Amino acid sequence: MRSEDSTNSEKTLEKNKLQYDALYSSTSGAKMIKVLQRFEAFLDDTTQTDTSWKGFYLNDFRKQLKGKRVLEMGCGDCLNAAIMTMLGAEVVANDISDEPGRIIAELNASGVLPKPITYVFGDFLQYDTKEEASFDFVVGKAFLHHLTLDLERQFLEKTARLLKPGGQARFFEPAINSLWLDKLRFMIPVSGRPSSLQRKAFKAWEEADPHPDRPNSSEHYQQVGLQYFSKVDIYCIGAIQKFHRLLPSGSFDRKFRRLAFRLERYLPKYINDTFARSQLIVLSKAS
Ligand SMILES: C[S@@+](CC[C@H](N)C(=O)[O-])C[C@H]1O[C@@H](n2cnc3c(N)ncnc32)[C@H](O)[C@@H]1O
């Protein structure tokens, strides 16, 4: 008989596959090439305005990639896998969706990448044991929070084995460090998600949502990380930047985002961590 944990994990995987096959079915590798041809300018801009890119590339990560072997889990539309390749890394990308395989084939055929990306489809937990201790970095951008806690433990254990001694895992994830703020957030409807006060509609949305119900606090990532890694560093971001959502999109919104990231540096740590929208989790394996 299957355990409740594994049944929940299977349901979560199915929902993720369904949602992301549909989302990426219209993504075209060919269209991405224009971005890749000016990837330095793209990164300069996006790492100052967008939380996920700023968080993922925090602490000059772009300068650490040259000549490194990197595994990206949950590669999605593959733009980040392609950018890391442009920055000189040898990239292996993994996802449970079929679409990234098609996008990567287009990118590899385009001639724009300095070396091809290798795509590994499906269950990364079965990934070849010959690859153990062979990666300098294992990374994920908005990935871990899609796993049930049971799967997360298995993934982190596998990640630690795949990394070389001294290697690092780097995950950019949402930060939910205040439950009351999170409750308040769900009361405000956004495009595609009703307010939690609209009980029936909210329940239907929750059932289709590919995110499992699980903690995403910095404390959680700290605790689970320390089970498999010798050091965990967490950087919370977006405490002020997140208010850009209240502005109409346009040049003022972009100015606000840049300024917000600069101002966040001066917030006291407790305030920053409580109000942050996102976090970068860096897990270091002992040398
Ligand atoms: C929010 S998307 C992020 C995509 C991309 N990293 C980005 O930043 O745009 C989450 C991705 O994780 C993938 N995913 C979810 N569960 C997974 C699993 N167990 N193994 C591999 N990929 C998974 C989904 O298919 C999806 O592409």
PDB file of all heavy atoms in Angstrom, residues 181-208:
ATOM      1  N   LEU A 181       0.726  37.937   7.423  1.00  0.00           N
ATOM      2  CA  LEU A 181       0.873  38.683   6.163  1.00  0.00           C
ATOM      3  C   LEU A 181       0.457  37.820   4.981  1.00  0.00           C
ATOM      4  O   LEU A 181      -0.142  38.284   4.018  1.00  0.00           O
ATOM      5  CB  LEU A 181       2.333  39.096   5.970  1.00  0.00           C
ATOM      6  CG  LEU A 181       2.786  40.399   6.590  1.00  0.00           C
ATOM      7  CD1 LEU A 181       4.250  40.655   6.267  1.00  0.00           C
ATOM      8  CD2 LEU A 181       1.940  41.565   6.067  1.00  0.00           C
ATOM      9  N   ASP A 182       0.752  36.518   5.098  1.00  0.00           N
ATOM     10  CA  ASP A 182       0.389  35.591   4.030  1.00  0.00           C
ATOM     11  C   ASP A 182      -1.138  35.461   3.933  1.00  0.00           C
ATOM     12  O   ASP A 182      -1.704  35.448   2.839  1.00  0.00           O
ATOM     13  CB  ASP A 182       1.026  34.227   4.310  1.00  0.00           C
ATOM     14  CG  ASP A 182       1.124  33.401   3.049  1.00  0.00           C
ATOM     15  OD1 ASP A 182       1.525  33.965   2.008  1.00  0.00           O
ATOM     16  OD2 ASP A 182       0.763  32.213   3.085  1.00  0.00           O
ATOM     17  N   LYS A 183      -1.787  35.405   5.094  1.00  0.00           N
ATOM     18  CA  LYS A 183      -3.267  35.341   5.126  1.00  0.00           C
ATOM     19  C   LYS A 183      -3.855  36.577   4.449  1.00  0.00           C
ATOM     20  O   LYS A 183      -4.769  36.490   3.636  1.00  0.00           O
ATOM     21  CB  LYS A 183      -3.764  35.279   6.572  1.00  0.00           C
ATOM     22  CG  LYS A 183      -3.880  33.883   7.118  1.00  0.00           C
ATOM     23  CD  LYS A 183      -4.957  33.855   8.213  1.00  0.00           C
ATOM     24  CE  LYS A 183      -5.541  32.493   8.398  1.00  0.00           C
ATOM     25  NZ  LYS A 183      -4.782  31.514   9.005  1.00  0.00           N
ATOM     26  N   LEU A 184      -3.259  37.727   4.797  1.00  0.00           N
ATOM     27  CA  LEU A 184      -3.726  39.005   4.237  1.00  0.00           C
ATOM     28  C   LEU A 184      -3.536  39.020   2.719  1.00  0.00           C
ATOM     29  O   LEU A 184      -4.418  39.425   1.962  1.00  0.00           O
ATOM     30  CB  LEU A 184      -2.905  40.117   4.892  1.00  0.00           C
ATOM     31  CG  LEU A 184      -3.408  41.534   4.729  1.00  0.00           C
ATOM     32  CD1 LEU A 184      -4.715  41.711   5.484  1.00  0.00           C
ATOM     33  CD2 LEU A 184      -2.368  42.519   5.291  1.00  0.00           C
ATOM     34  N   ARG A 185      -2.389  38.517   2.277  1.00  0.00           N
ATOM     35  CA  ARG A 185      -2.078  38.479   0.832  1.00  0.00           C
ATOM     36  C   ARG A 185      -3.144  37.691   0.072  1.00  0.00           C
ATOM     37  O   ARG A 185      -3.615  38.092  -0.988  1.00  0.00           O
ATOM     38  CB  ARG A 185      -0.694  37.840   0.649  1.00  0.00           C
ATOM     39  CG  ARG A 185      -0.280  37.622  -0.779  1.00  0.00           C
ATOM     40  CD  ARG A 185       1.169  37.163  -0.842  1.00  0.00           C
ATOM     41  NE  ARG A 185       1.361  35.778  -0.493  1.00  0.00           N
ATOM     42  CZ  ARG A 185       1.374  34.776  -1.373  1.00  0.00           C
ATOM     43  NH1 ARG A 185       1.205  35.019  -2.648  1.00  0.00           N
ATOM     44  NH2 ARG A 185       1.571  33.539  -0.968  1.00  0.00           N
ATOM     45  N   PHE A 186      -3.547  36.565   0.631  1.00  0.00           N
ATOM     46  CA  PHE A 186      -4.534  35.729  -0.057  1.00  0.00           C
ATOM     47  C   PHE A 186      -5.939  36.347  -0.058  1.00  0.00           C
ATOM     48  O   PHE A 186      -6.789  35.936  -0.826  1.00  0.00           O
ATOM     49  CB  PHE A 186      -4.569  34.317   0.546  1.00  0.00           C
ATOM     50  CG  PHE A 186      -3.498  33.438  -0.024  1.00  0.00           C
ATOM     51  CD1 PHE A 186      -2.429  33.015   0.755  1.00  0.00           C
ATOM     52  CD2 PHE A 186      -3.545  33.049  -1.357  1.00  0.00           C
ATOM     53  CE1 PHE A 186      -1.432  32.223   0.217  1.00  0.00           C
ATOM     54  CE2 PHE A 186      -2.549  32.258  -1.906  1.00  0.00           C
ATOM     55  CZ  PHE A 186      -1.482  31.844  -1.119  1.00  0.00           C
ATOM     56  N   MET A 187      -6.141  37.340   0.820  1.00  0.00           N
ATOM     57  CA  MET A 187      -7.458  37.996   0.811  1.00  0.00           C
ATOM     58  C   MET A 187      -7.579  38.946  -0.385  1.00  0.00           C
ATOM     59  O   MET A 187      -8.660  39.274  -0.823  1.00  0.00           O
ATOM     60  CB  MET A 187      -7.660  38.789   2.101  1.00  0.00           C
ATOM     61  CG  MET A 187      -7.989  37.907   3.270  1.00  0.00           C
ATOM     62  SD  MET A 187      -8.230  38.943   4.715  1.00  0.00           S
ATOM     63  CE  MET A 187      -8.105  37.722   5.990  1.00  0.00           C
ATOM     64  N   ILE A 188      -6.421  39.401  -0.876  1.00  0.00           N
ATOM     65  CA  ILE A 188      -6.439  40.353  -2.004  1.00  0.00           C
ATOM     66  C   ILE A 188      -6.425  39.548  -3.303  1.00  0.00           C
ATOM     67  O   ILE A 188      -5.478  38.813  -3.575  1.00  0.00           O
ATOM     68  CB  ILE A 188      -5.208  41.296  -1.936  1.00  0.00           C
ATOM     69  CG1 ILE A 188      -5.214  42.021  -0.586  1.00  0.00           C
ATOM     70  CG2 ILE A 188      -5.197  42.270  -3.097  1.00  0.00           C
ATOM     71  CD1 ILE A 188      -3.909  42.705  -0.235  1.00  0.00           C
ATOM     72  N   PRO A 189      -7.493  39.663  -4.112  1.00  0.00           N
ATOM     73  CA  PRO A 189      -7.514  38.881  -5.352  1.00  0.00           C
ATOM     74  C   PRO A 189      -6.489  39.403  -6.353  1.00  0.00           C
ATOM     75  O   PRO A 189      -6.209  40.603  -6.379  1.00  0.00           O
ATOM     76  CB  PRO A 189      -8.940  39.086  -5.878  1.00  0.00           C
ATOM     77  CG  PRO A 189      -9.396  40.358  -5.267  1.00  0.00           C
ATOM     78  CD  PRO A 189      -8.665  40.538  -3.976  1.00  0.00           C
ATOM     79  N   VAL A 190      -5.865  38.496  -7.128  1.00  0.00           N
ATOM     80  CA  VAL A 190      -4.981  38.925  -8.221  1.00  0.00           C
ATOM     81  C   VAL A 190      -5.432  38.201  -9.478  1.00  0.00           C
ATOM     82  O   VAL A 190      -6.221  37.259  -9.391  1.00  0.00           O
ATOM     83  CB  VAL A 190      -3.487  38.605  -7.928  1.00  0.00           C
ATOM     84  CG1 VAL A 190      -2.942  39.440  -6.790  1.00  0.00           C
ATOM     85  CG2 VAL A 190      -3.266  37.130  -7.660  1.00  0.00           C
ATOM     86  N   SER A 191      -4.913  38.619 -10.606  1.00  0.00           N
ATOM     87  CA  SER A 191      -5.334  38.004 -11.861  1.00  0.00           C
ATOM     88  C   SER A 191      -5.097  36.485 -11.800  1.00  0.00           C
ATOM     89  O   SER A 191      -3.996  36.031 -11.502  1.00  0.00           O
ATOM     90  CB  SER A 191      -4.556  38.667 -12.995  1.00  0.00           C
ATOM     91  OG  SER A 191      -4.342  37.782 -14.021  1.00  0.00           O
ATOM     92  N   GLY A 192      -6.140  35.703 -12.043  1.00  0.00           N
ATOM     93  CA  GLY A 192      -6.019  34.235 -12.028  1.00  0.00           C
ATOM     94  C   GLY A 192      -6.219  33.611 -10.660  1.00  0.00           C
ATOM     95  O   GLY A 192      -6.264  32.392 -10.539  1.00  0.00           O
ATOM     96  N   ARG A 193      -6.321  34.442  -9.595  1.00  0.00           N
ATOM     97  CA  ARG A 193      -6.558  33.863  -8.261  1.00  0.00           C
ATOM     98  C   ARG A 193      -7.585  34.695  -7.492  1.00  0.00           C
ATOM     99  O   ARG A 193      -7.380  35.878  -7.259  1.00  0.00           O
ATOM    100  CB  ARG A 193      -5.258  33.788  -7.461  1.00  0.00           C
ATOM    101  CG  ARG A 193      -5.473  33.013  -6.220  1.00  0.00           C
ATOM    102  CD  ARG A 193      -4.831  33.358  -4.920  1.00  0.00           C
ATOM    103  NE  ARG A 193      -3.847  34.347  -4.712  1.00  0.00           N
ATOM    104  CZ  ARG A 193      -4.125  35.497  -4.095  1.00  0.00           C
ATOM    105  NH1 ARG A 193      -5.364  35.820  -3.739  1.00  0.00           N
ATOM    106  NH2 ARG A 193      -3.153  36.358  -3.873  1.00  0.00           N
ATOM    107  N   PRO A 194      -8.738  34.060  -7.107  1.00  0.00           N
ATOM    108  CA  PRO A 194      -9.745  34.824  -6.358  1.00  0.00           C
ATOM    109  C   PRO A 194      -9.281  35.096  -4.933  1.00  0.00           C
ATOM    110  O   PRO A 194      -8.305  34.506  -4.470  1.00  0.00           O
ATOM    111  CB  PRO A 194     -10.962  33.885  -6.359  1.00  0.00           C
ATOM    112  CG  PRO A 194     -10.390  32.527  -6.519  1.00  0.00           C
ATOM    113  CD  PRO A 194      -9.118  32.665  -7.300  1.00  0.00           C
ATOM    114  N   SER A 195     -10.013  35.964  -4.228  1.00  0.00           N
ATOM    115  CA  SER A 195      -9.716  36.234  -2.816  1.00  0.00           C
ATOM    116  C   SER A 195     -10.094  35.015  -1.982  1.00  0.00           C
ATOM    117  O   SER A 195     -11.052  34.302  -2.298  1.00  0.00           O
ATOM    118  CB  SER A 195     -10.545  37.440  -2.370  1.00  0.00           C
ATOM    119  OG  SER A 195     -10.695  37.419  -0.976  1.00  0.00           O
ATOM    120  N   SER A 196      -9.355  34.793  -0.889  1.00  0.00           N
ATOM    121  CA  SER A 196      -9.682  33.671  -0.001  1.00  0.00           C
ATOM    122  C   SER A 196     -11.048  33.886   0.658  1.00  0.00           C
ATOM    123  O   SER A 196     -11.642  32.956   1.199  1.00  0.00           O
ATOM    124  CB  SER A 196      -8.604  33.501   1.068  1.00  0.00           C
ATOM    125  OG  SER A 196      -8.457  34.704   1.769  1.00  0.00           O
ATOM    126  N   LEU A 197     -11.556  35.139   0.577  1.00  0.00           N
ATOM    127  CA  LEU A 197     -12.876  35.407   1.156  1.00  0.00           C
ATOM    128  C   LEU A 197     -13.995  34.879   0.241  1.00  0.00           C
ATOM    129  O   LEU A 197     -15.112  34.651   0.686  1.00  0.00           O
ATOM    130  CB  LEU A 197     -13.063  36.908   1.384  1.00  0.00           C
ATOM    131  CG  LEU A 197     -12.021  37.532   2.338  1.00  0.00           C
ATOM    132  CD1 LEU A 197     -12.125  39.037   2.350  1.00  0.00           C
ATOM    133  CD2 LEU A 197     -12.176  36.961   3.746  1.00  0.00           C
ATOM    134  N   GLN A 198     -13.666  34.673  -1.040  1.00  0.00           N
ATOM    135  CA  GLN A 198     -14.639  34.039  -1.968  1.00  0.00           C
ATOM    136  C   GLN A 198     -14.441  32.527  -1.838  1.00  0.00           C
ATOM    137  O   GLN A 198     -13.739  31.922  -2.648  1.00  0.00           O
ATOM    138  CB  GLN A 198     -14.365  34.491  -3.404  1.00  0.00           C
ATOM    139  CG  GLN A 198     -14.495  35.976  -3.644  1.00  0.00           C
ATOM    140  CD  GLN A 198     -13.810  36.352  -4.962  1.00  0.00           C
ATOM    141  OE1 GLN A 198     -12.628  36.685  -4.999  1.00  0.00           O
ATOM    142  NE2 GLN A 198     -14.550  36.274  -6.052  1.00  0.00           N
ATOM    143  N   ARG A 199     -15.042  31.955  -0.804  1.00  0.00           N
ATOM    144  CA  ARG A 199     -14.697  30.603  -0.366  1.00  0.00           C
ATOM    145  C   ARG A 199     -14.712  29.539  -1.479  1.00  0.00           C
ATOM    146  O   ARG A 199     -13.772  28.782  -1.638  1.00  0.00           O
ATOM    147  CB  ARG A 199     -15.655  30.154   0.741  1.00  0.00           C
ATOM    148  CG  ARG A 199     -15.521  30.973   1.991  1.00  0.00           C
ATOM    149  CD  ARG A 199     -14.908  30.122   3.078  1.00  0.00           C
ATOM    150  NE  ARG A 199     -14.566  30.958   4.203  1.00  0.00           N
ATOM    151  CZ  ARG A 199     -15.232  30.977   5.352  1.00  0.00           C
ATOM    152  NH1 ARG A 199     -16.247  30.182   5.540  1.00  0.00           N
ATOM    153  NH2 ARG A 199     -14.855  31.787   6.326  1.00  0.00           N
ATOM    154  N   LYS A 200     -15.855  29.499  -2.246  1.00  0.00           N
ATOM    155  CA  LYS A 200     -16.022  28.423  -3.233  1.00  0.00           C
ATOM    156  C   LYS A 200     -14.983  28.533  -4.357  1.00  0.00           C
ATOM    157  O   LYS A 200     -14.300  27.574  -4.705  1.00  0.00           O
ATOM    158  CB  LYS A 200     -17.425  28.503  -3.847  1.00  0.00           C
ATOM    159  CG  LYS A 200     -18.270  27.286  -3.563  1.00  0.00           C
ATOM    160  CD  LYS A 200     -19.579  27.469  -4.223  1.00  0.00           C
ATOM    161  CE  LYS A 200     -20.227  26.114  -4.430  1.00  0.00           C
ATOM    162  NZ  LYS A 200     -21.522  26.267  -5.051  1.00  0.00           N
ATOM    163  N   ALA A 201     -14.875  29.771  -4.874  1.00  0.00           N
ATOM    164  CA  ALA A 201     -13.948  30.006  -5.990  1.00  0.00           C
ATOM    165  C   ALA A 201     -12.513  29.751  -5.526  1.00  0.00           C
ATOM    166  O   ALA A 201     -11.690  29.179  -6.253  1.00  0.00           O
ATOM    167  CB  ALA A 201     -14.105  31.435  -6.490  1.00  0.00           C
ATOM    168  N   PHE A 202     -12.198  30.142  -4.291  1.00  0.00           N
ATOM    169  CA  PHE A 202     -10.841  29.975  -3.776  1.00  0.00           C
ATOM    170  C   PHE A 202     -10.504  28.486  -3.619  1.00  0.00           C
ATOM    171  O   PHE A 202      -9.415  28.037  -3.958  1.00  0.00           O
ATOM    172  CB  PHE A 202     -10.696  30.699  -2.431  1.00  0.00           C
ATOM    173  CG  PHE A 202      -9.274  30.747  -1.943  1.00  0.00           C
ATOM    174  CD1 PHE A 202      -8.353  31.606  -2.528  1.00  0.00           C
ATOM    175  CD2 PHE A 202      -8.850  29.912  -0.917  1.00  0.00           C
ATOM    176  CE1 PHE A 202      -7.032  31.645  -2.089  1.00  0.00           C
ATOM    177  CE2 PHE A 202      -7.530  29.943  -0.475  1.00  0.00           C
ATOM    178  CZ  PHE A 202      -6.627  30.813  -1.062  1.00  0.00           C
ATOM    179  N   LYS A 203     -11.493  27.711  -3.154  1.00  0.00           N
ATOM    180  CA  LYS A 203     -11.259  26.269  -2.967  1.00  0.00           C
ATOM    181  C   LYS A 203     -10.972  25.609  -4.332  1.00  0.00           C
ATOM    182  O   LYS A 203     -10.052  24.788  -4.465  1.00  0.00           O
ATOM    183  CB  LYS A 203     -12.493  25.631  -2.321  1.00  0.00           C
ATOM    184  CG  LYS A 203     -12.228  24.279  -1.737  1.00  0.00           C
ATOM    185  CD  LYS A 203     -13.306  23.904  -0.721  1.00  0.00           C
ATOM    186  CE  LYS A 203     -12.910  22.671   0.059  1.00  0.00           C
ATOM    187  NZ  LYS A 203     -12.909  21.451  -0.661  1.00  0.00           N
ATOM    188  N   ALA A 204     -11.742  26.009  -5.358  1.00  0.00           N
ATOM    189  CA  ALA A 204     -11.528  25.444  -6.695  1.00  0.00           C
ATOM    190  C   ALA A 204     -10.139  25.817  -7.199  1.00  0.00           C
ATOM    191  O   ALA A 204      -9.418  24.993  -7.787  1.00  0.00           O
ATOM    192  CB  ALA A 204     -12.606  25.960  -7.647  1.00  0.00           C
ATOM    193  N   TRP A 205      -9.737  27.066  -6.948  1.00  0.00           N
ATOM    194  CA  TRP A 205      -8.398  27.506  -7.369  1.00  0.00           C
ATOM    195  C   TRP A 205      -7.324  26.684  -6.640  1.00  0.00           C
ATOM    196  O   TRP A 205      -6.369  26.202  -7.256  1.00  0.00           O
ATOM    197  CB  TRP A 205      -8.231  29.002  -7.058  1.00  0.00           C
ATOM    198  CG  TRP A 205      -6.820  29.464  -7.257  1.00  0.00           C
ATOM    199  CD1 TRP A 205      -6.235  29.830  -8.433  1.00  0.00           C
ATOM    200  CD2 TRP A 205      -5.789  29.532  -6.245  1.00  0.00           C
ATOM    201  NE1 TRP A 205      -4.910  30.138  -8.230  1.00  0.00           N
ATOM    202  CE2 TRP A 205      -4.609  29.958  -6.900  1.00  0.00           C
ATOM    203  CE3 TRP A 205      -5.755  29.281  -4.877  1.00  0.00           C
ATOM    204  CZ2 TRP A 205      -3.406  30.141  -6.219  1.00  0.00           C
ATOM    205  CZ3 TRP A 205      -4.556  29.458  -4.196  1.00  0.00           C
ATOM    206  CH2 TRP A 205      -3.400  29.889  -4.868  1.00  0.00           C
ATOM    207  N   GLU A 206      -7.512  26.490  -5.333  1.00  0.00           N
ATOM    208  CA  GLU A 206      -6.531  25.741  -4.530  1.00  0.00           C
ATOM    209  C   GLU A 206      -6.358  24.314  -5.054  1.00  0.00           C
ATOM    210  O   GLU A 206      -5.253  23.784  -5.082  1.00  0.00           O
ATOM    211  CB  GLU A 206      -7.013  25.651  -3.073  1.00  0.00           C
ATOM    212  CG  GLU A 206      -6.474  26.719  -2.186  1.00  0.00           C
ATOM    213  CD  GLU A 206      -6.821  26.474  -0.720  1.00  0.00           C
ATOM    214  OE1 GLU A 206      -7.957  26.028  -0.438  1.00  0.00           O
ATOM    215  OE2 GLU A 206      -5.980  26.725   0.127  1.00  0.00           O
ATOM    216  N   GLU A 207      -7.498  23.704  -5.461  1.00  0.00           N
ATOM    217  CA  GLU A 207      -7.409  22.313  -5.925  1.00  0.00           C
ATOM    218  C   GLU A 207      -6.584  22.172  -7.201  1.00  0.00           C
ATOM    219  O   GLU A 207      -5.903  21.171  -7.401  1.00  0.00           O
ATOM    220  CB  GLU A 207      -8.809  21.720  -6.111  1.00  0.00           C
ATOM    221  CG  GLU A 207      -9.227  20.997  -4.840  1.00  0.00           C
ATOM    222  CD  GLU A 207     -10.716  20.857  -4.669  1.00  0.00           C
ATOM    223  OE1 GLU A 207     -11.420  20.820  -5.694  1.00  0.00           O
ATOM    224  OE2 GLU A 207     -11.157  20.784  -3.498  1.00  0.00           O
ATOM    225  N   ALA A 208      -6.634  23.191  -8.062  1.00  0.00           N
ATOM    226  CA  ALA A 208      -5.881  23.107  -9.326  1.00  0.00           C
ATOM    227  C   ALA A 208      -4.450  23.630  -9.168  1.00  0.00           C
ATOM    228  O   ALA A 208      -3.600  23.403 -10.030  1.00  0.00           O
ATOM    229  CB  ALA A 208      -6.605  23.919 -10.391  1.00  0.00           C
TER     230      ALA A 208
END
